[in-house]
């Protein structure tokens, strides 16, 4: 039981990392990784929303779409669920903790367009995960996303002062670095 | 904050880049001799061909960037990358394999980032991993050691490198590979059944590792690097091997001594992990960096898909090194400790 969940977690965090192995969620990965601090904020917000959204979409599918025979609507309804979760989180955080809202605030709406969130929700259905498994899988995906986002942003801060040739400055060298990171992550293949 | 600010006094060190790189080159000599003795001329030809290519690619990149070519070629850093990749590649590799590897090392991993001192990943290991993923067949076929098979002569070795189509070499799985594939024999029987296992780890491998250890200790004595990262790496690798060692059943991952003396352990510990550019820089950072590499090497060797794991473990930690540095900055004298960067 515990072993199953830890395998699910390690698989989602390292072996099938959503950014570097499955290439989901690349937009925030490239967009919010210029500074370590913003990357930290984005990671926390994404972890929270991704875990919650994967649980909610699992419930939606099993208790709403499946009984009504509307499984073919899953993509569009998951988009709705994710948008609702993001909006809800934003409202709760703004009222309950203004400080946290200041840290996460800008990133929350951005998460709606993070394809890793929708990807996790759909993969949970494809892999026929139970509710708890969905929760763990979503959490693992979020931790994996956060891990590489934070490491990448620390690396980009260093790249910002490197003597990169002019044609490769900025996003180009970021893409190349992301590619090399993906190469490194292939070493985890076969661990679980 | 991206750079560490260090206050005065600023003392001059006698170490110049070219001198440091020369020492590193010199320290690989014992290992090269042992590899040549046990596996034939293949490694030497790898190193020579890689060195020629490294200088050519380096000159090309410098010319494109309009930098002084002679000045940068004189720092020997491209040669060090070439020698390290040449040692890491299997002996009797075809010329195109080495060319692709050197192009990835020098052009992709080094000069796209601005050249010496800016590369976030170890260039030699980037070249190695690019090759390992793109050409797994060529990269995992290792020559049989002296005693387990006949060593090709110099002409045959040259033929293997430059006219690979005409060369029909014998290959043999490395001890690490054999141990990984094994799931039926006890370790002791495995030792009996395969000629490539030596006294402790593998014929040739154990002596090559001891030679690289000797070269590394000499570099340590010359103060080319500090002891933190290599010692931390070897310590955690030993610890992991000891924790998971079950006395030699068929599912065993190998004894600590086997892991210390086989594959690229010592070569990695003293020549790759200690790369001053791509590793963590603070003392605590180096300890963490080395320790995690040791753990990753064991995990990937025993549970992963690849027989040896030094290159992957180093690249994975290379990408974590800036983050580690950010959180292990030493306290500046006279300042109160602050959490993380400012």
């Amino acid at each position: 039981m515990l072993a199953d969940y830890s395998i699910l977690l390690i698989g989602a965090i390292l072996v099938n990392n959503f950014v570097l192995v499955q290439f989901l969620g690349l937009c925030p990965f490239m967009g919010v990784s210029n500074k370590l601090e913003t990357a930290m904020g984005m990671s926390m917000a994404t972890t929270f929303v991704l875990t919650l959204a994967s649980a909610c979409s699992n419930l939606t599918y099993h208790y709403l779409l499946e009984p009504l025979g509307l499984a073919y609507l899953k993509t569009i309804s998951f988009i709705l669920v994710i948008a609702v979760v993001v909006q809800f989180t934003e409202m709760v955080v703004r009222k309950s903790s203004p400080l946290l809202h200041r840290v996460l605030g800008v990133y929350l709406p951005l998460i709606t367009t993070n394809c890793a969130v929708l990807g996790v929700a759909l993969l949970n259905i494809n892999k026929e995960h139970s509710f708890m498994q969905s929760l763990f899988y979503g959490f693992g995906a979020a931790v994996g996303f956060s891990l590489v986002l934070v490491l990448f942003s620390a690396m980009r801060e260093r790249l910002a002062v490197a003597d990169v040739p002019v044609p490769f400055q900025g996003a180009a060298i970021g893409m190349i670095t992301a590619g090399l990171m993906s190469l490194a992550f292939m070493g985890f293949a076969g661990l679980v | 904050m991206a750079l560490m600010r260090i206050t005065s006094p600023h003392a001059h060190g006698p170490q110049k880049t070219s001198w440091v790189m020369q020492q590193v080159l010199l320290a690989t000599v014992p290992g090269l001799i042992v590899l040549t003795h046990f596996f034939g001329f293949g490694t030497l030809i790898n190193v020579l061909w890689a060195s020629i290519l490294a200088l050519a690619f380096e000159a090309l990149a410098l010319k494109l960037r309009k930098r002084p070519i002679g000045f940068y070629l004189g720092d020997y850093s491209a040669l060090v990358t070439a020698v390290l990749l040449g040692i890491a590649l299997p002996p009797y590799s075809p010329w195109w394999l080495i060319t692709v590897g050197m192009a990835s090392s020098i052009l992709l991993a080094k000069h796209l980032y601005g050249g010496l001192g800016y590369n976030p990943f170890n260039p030699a290991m980037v070249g190695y991993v690019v090759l390992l993923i793109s050409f797994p067949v060529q990269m995992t076929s290792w020559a049989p050691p002296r005693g387990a098979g006949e060593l090709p002569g110099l002409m045959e070795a040259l033929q293997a490198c430059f006219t690979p189509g005409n060369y029909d070499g014998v290959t043999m799985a490395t001890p690490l590979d054999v141990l990984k594939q094994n799931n039926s024999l006890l370790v002791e029987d495995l030792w009996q059944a395969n000629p490539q296992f030596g006294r402790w780890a593998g014929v040739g491998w154990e002596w090559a590792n001891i030679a690289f250890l000797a070269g590394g200790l000499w570099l340590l004595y010359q103060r080319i690097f500090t002891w933190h990262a290599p010692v931390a790496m070897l310590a955690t690798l030993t610890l992991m091997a000891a924790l998971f060692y079950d006395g030699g059943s068929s599912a065993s991952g190998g004894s600590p001594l086997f892991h210390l003396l086989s594959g690229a352990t010592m070569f990695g510990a003293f020549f790759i992990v200690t790369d001053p550019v791509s590793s963590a820089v603070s003392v605590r950072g180096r300890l963490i960096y080395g320790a995690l590499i040791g753990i990753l090497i064991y995990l990937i060797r025993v549970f992963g898909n690849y027989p040896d794991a030094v290159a992957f473990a180093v690249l994975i930690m290379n990408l974590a090194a800036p983050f580690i540095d950010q959180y292990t900055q030493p306290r500046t004298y006279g300042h109160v400790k602050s959490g993380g960067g400012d």
Side-chain angles (χ1 to χ4, degrees):
Chain A
M1 191 64 182
L2 192 67
D4 288 347
Y5 285 130
S6 48
I7 284 176
L8 202 64
L9 270 181
I10 293 173
I13 296 173
L14 298 176
V15 183
N16 293 316
N17 186 289
F18 270 74
V19 181
L20 293 180
V21 182
Q22 310 201 30
F23 305 116
L24 287 169
L26 284 173
C27 335
F29 181 67
M30 293 305 297
V32 217
S33 54
N34 282 319
K35 290 192 75 175
L36 185 58
E37 225 168 293
T38 52
M40 291 280 208
M42 185 68 179
S43 315
M44 278 191 282
T46 309
T47 308
F48 186 75
V49 171
L50 191 47
T51 315
L52 201 62
S54 76
C56 288
S57 50
N58 184 282
L59 292 181
T60 314
Y61 185 79
H62 286 295
Y63 293 101
L64 195 67
L65 298 182
E66 237 180 7
L68 296 176
L70 294 172
Y72 57 89
L73 284 180
K74 61 177 187 273
T75 307
I76 198 156
S77 40
F78 288 169
I79 293 176
L80 194 67
V81 167
I82 291 163
V84 167
V85 169
V86 169
Q87 194 57 46
F88 170 75
T89 315
E90 213 248 339
M91 278 155 60
V92 169
V93 169
R94 186 167 54 201
K95 296 292 179 201
S96 63
S97 161
L99 186 70
L100 192 64
H101 185 255
R102 219 179 311 147
V103 181
L104 303 184
V106 216
Y107 309 112
L108 280 171
L110 269 177
I111 298 172
T112 326
T113 58
N114 185 344
C115 45
V117 184
L118 183 62
V120 169
L122 291 172
L123 280 174
N124 273 331
I125 305 301
N126 275 358
K127 291 171 184 270
E128 294 173 354
H129 282 160
S130 69
F131 176 73
M132 280 309 281
Q133 279 174 326
S134 303
L135 204 63
F136 271 86
Y137 195 64
F139 181 68
V143 171
F145 174 81
S146 309
L147 176 78
V148 294
L149 180 66
V150 166
L151 295 183
F152 186 52
S153 65
M155 189 167 267
R156 280 188 92 173
E157 282 196 2
R158 197 175 277 191
L159 289 182
V161 293
D163 180 23
V164 177
V166 181
F168 294 102
Q169 275 168 10
I173 198 72
M175 293 284 203
I176 292 167
T177 311
L180 289 177
M181 286 173 76
S182 176
L183 207 63
F185 261 65
M186 292 193 76
F188 288 122
L191 273 191
V192 291
Chain B
M1 197 183 81
L3 290 175
M4 237 203 287
R5 281 176 293 226
I6 297 171
T7 53
S8 59
H10 303 293
H12 262 288
Q15 296 186 339
K16 290 171 80 173
T17 311
S18 56
W19 180 80
V20 170
M21 296 293 171
Q22 278 169 358
Q23 302 305 307
V24 175
L25 286 177
L26 223 67
T28 59
V29 169
L32 266 176
I33 292 173
V34 171
L35 281 176
T36 308
H37 173 75
F38 280 103
F39 296 101
F41 292 102
T43 310
L44 273 186
I45 293 170
N46 281 355
V47 166
L48 284 179
W49 177 237
S51 305
I52 296 169
L53 288 168
L55 293 177
F57 284 133
E58 180 96 353
L60 175 74
L62 291 169
K63 190 167 165 49
L64 285 175
R65 297 200 69 195
K66 301 188 177 65
R67 299 288 160 94
I69 294 176
F71 175 76
Y72 283 105
L73 284 187
D75 67 12
Y76 295 97
S77 64
L79 277 182
V80 167
T81 305
V83 170
L84 296 184
L85 185 68
I87 290 172
L89 291 177
Y92 313 107
S93 294
W95 61 272
W96 51 265
L97 191 77
I98 306 174
T99 311
V100 173
M102 273 332 286
S104 325
S105 293
I106 299 287
L107 299 178
L108 181 69
K110 188 177 173 193
H111 277 286
L112 280 193
Y113 288 96
L116 181 65
Y118 292 115
N119 47 302
F121 296 99
N122 185 313
M125 290 302 105
V126 170
Y128 185 85
V129 167
V130 166
L131 292 179
L132 183 57
I133 287 171
S134 316
F135 309 106
V137 177
Q138 282 84 357
M139 289 300 286
T140 48
S141 53
W142 201 278
R146 180 180 289 272
E150 204 172 319
L151 291 183
L154 182 60
M155 284 317 289
E156 273 180 287
L158 282 169
Q159 199 187 18
C161 181
F162 295 104
T163 53
N166 299 332
Y167 176 72
D168 190 19
V170 185
T171 59
M172 200 174 239
T174 61
L176 272 174
D177 214 2
V178 173
L179 195 70
K180 190 187 192 63
Q181 305 299 340
N182 170 54
N183 47 18
S184 55
L185 290 173
L186 294 178
V187 169
E188 224 166 285
D189 300 331
L190 205 63
W191 230 260
Q192 302 290 328
N194 289 287
Q196 64 266 55
F197 284 97
R199 194 170 308 158
W200 303 299
V203 178
W205 292 101
E206 47 205 22
W207 289 109
N209 271 290
I210 290 168
F212 283 119
L213 171 66
L217 290 178
W218 189 70
L219 286 180
L220 202 59
Y221 170 73
Q222 292 280 357
R223 298 195 182 188
I224 305 293
F225 48 73
T226 61
W227 57 270
H228 304 88
V231 168
M233 178 201 130
L234 295 176
T236 49
L237 180 62
T238 315
L239 188 73
M240 288 294 285
L243 278 179
F244 283 88
Y245 189 52
D246 56 3
S249 78
S250 58
S252 166
S255 68
L257 193 64
F258 176 79
H259 276 282
L260 284 180
L261 291 180
S262 61
T265 306
M266 292 296 172
F267 173 68
F270 290 100
F271 292 88
I272 305 294
V273 172
T274 53
D275 175 11
V277 182
S278 58
S279 74
V281 286
S282 63
V283 168
R284 264 190 310 153
R286 279 181 183 161
L287 286 173
I288 298 171
Y289 175 80
L292 287 174
I293 288 182
I295 293 173
L296 282 174
I297 288 177
Y298 186 81
L299 289 179
I300 298 176
R301 264 186 189 174
V302 177
F303 303 108
N305 279 351
Y306 298 95
D308 205 354
V310 174
F312 279 115
V314 168
L315 281 194
I316 290 165
M317 288 316 292
N318 278 169
L319 72 85
F323 182 76
I324 295 175
D325 277 343
Q326 181 84 15
Y327 287 94
T328 54
Q329 285 174 20
R331 185 178 62 95
T332 322
Y333 182 71
H335 284 255
V336 189
K337 197 170 174 60
S338 70
D342 52 350

